Amino acid sequence: MQTSPYALPFERYRELLDQEYAALSDLVQPTLDRPVPACPGWNGEDLVRHTAIVFLQKAETIRTGTRPSHGWPPVSVGSLPPQPLLAHCYTRLVEEFDAHPTSDPAETWVPEDQTVGFWVRRLTHETAIHRVDLEQAAGRSVRPLDPALVIDGIDEVLTVMLGRGRPDPAASGDVARLEAGGHSWDVRLSPQRATVQRDAEVDGRTAVACDPEQLFLWLWGRTAAPGVVPAAATELRSRLARAL
């Protein structure tokens, strides 16, 4: 694969994607009827079917050059049981990943990053989060995430996922500072768009400072807040919840 513009080499994203998919797949049968705490109203089957369709949609986006719309998703996928459906869609996805240079064009919502590599990174994080979802549905302890993927995931949720949200006329304009793993992110909550500054100097602003995995999972709404959270960080979490 080509040189990665992200924190991890593309080869490492693919390794972690396969690992997270295998762990997710092992959790399908025990959680089909179990409620998913982070996704109110969904059980494990709902989450598995959602994840499978995301995989398939991105495979089609890469294969055809544009996001599928009419007649999507295919009616035929609804007839497959959850486990075979997930396996089929994942196979389609990684076939497309491995058939294309990561610099090949692929439609995304980030104007400056319209590449296959965007989806390699994005779906590694997506799969990891949904693995956590099924572990929580099964009542199991969350298996630790790869430390480098966690730091990259904090950055990705702030610089990629937060950007999916709509403008917020009621935004305060304040800055939420987050610190973890020797890195920091200052997120300015402007009405039109939240912007992120990485590793800015400390200026006395109260920060959310905690273990990287706890911060990552809190930003995704998968664990409780790390202690007392400043108002700006609470606003950031609410804005993220509307974007995810």
Side-chain angles (χ1 to χ4, degrees):
M1 285 188 178
Q2 297 174 333
T3 302
S4 172
Y6 312 118
L8 279 65
F10 281 122
E11 291 87 349
R12 185 57 178 156
Y13 285 117
R14 280 290 286 110
E15 290 172 358
L16 290 168
L17 175 60
D18 283 344
Q19 290 174 22
E20 292 294 346
Y21 169 74
L24 173 72
S25 181
D26 286 345
L27 290 158
V28 171
Q29 293 303 323
T31 60
L32 288 175
D33 297 323
R34 301 287 295 272
V36 180
C39 305
W42 278 15
N43 60 19
E45 180 171 352
D46 296 321
L47 186 137
V48 169
R49 289 188 178 278
H50 160 80
T51 304
I53 294 305
V54 169
F55 288 161
L56 188 61
Q57 185 193 55
K58 303 322 172 193
E60 282 296 288
T61 298
I62 294 167
R63 186 182 71 83
T64 64
T66 187
R67 182 176 55 184
S69 54
H70 298 296
W72 187 263
V75 175
S76 60
V77 302
S79 63
L80 288 173
Q83 191 102 47
L85 174 65
L86 185 69
H88 168 74
C89 295
Y90 185 72
T91 297
R92 290 281 304 277
L93 176 70
V94 296
E95 285 175 349
E96 292 299 327
F97 280 167
D98 296 343
H100 289 267
T102 51
S103 59
D104 270 8
E107 182 181 348
T108 81
W109 67 84
V110 178
E112 62 271 21
D113 191 356
Q114 300 281 305
T115 64
V116 171
F118 173 95
W119 290 116
V120 174
R121 181 196 194 203
R122 171 84 286 281
L123 291 182
T124 302
H125 290 299
E126 183 85 359
T127 306
I129 281 294
H130 289 326
R131 182 264 290 178
V132 169
D133 287 336
L134 290 189
E135 285 176 333
Q136 292 178 339
R140 301 181 185 178
S141 298
V142 172
R143 180 173 58 84
L145 293 149
D146 179 84
L149 188 67
V150 167
I151 294 295
D152 183 63
I154 296 169
D155 192 84
E156 198 245 13
V157 76
L158 295 173
T159 61
V160 173
M161 303 304 291
L162 184 58
R164 297 181 68 189
R166 297 178 180 178
D168 181 4
S172 66
D174 290 344
V175 174
R177 183 175 176 88
L178 311 175
E179 297 176 352
H183 296 277
S184 67
W185 297 263
D186 287 88
V187 186
R188 184 169 294 280
L189 300 164
S190 301
Q192 188 63 29
R193 183 183 181 189
T195 57
V196 181
Q197 183 178 6
R198 300 179 180 95
D199 296 326
E201 292 185 6
V202 177
D203 62 359
R205 185 179 292 115
T206 302
V208 175
C210 62
D211 171 79
E213 185 165 315
Q214 184 181 16
L215 179 60
F216 175 64
L217 294 177
W218 173 67
L219 290 171
W220 271 97
R222 267 58 180 185
T223 195
V228 178
V229 174
T234 300
E235 181 183 347
L236 167 62
R237 177 76 226 5
S238 297
R239 193 158 174 170
L240 259 176
R242 296 192 294 272
L244 296 175

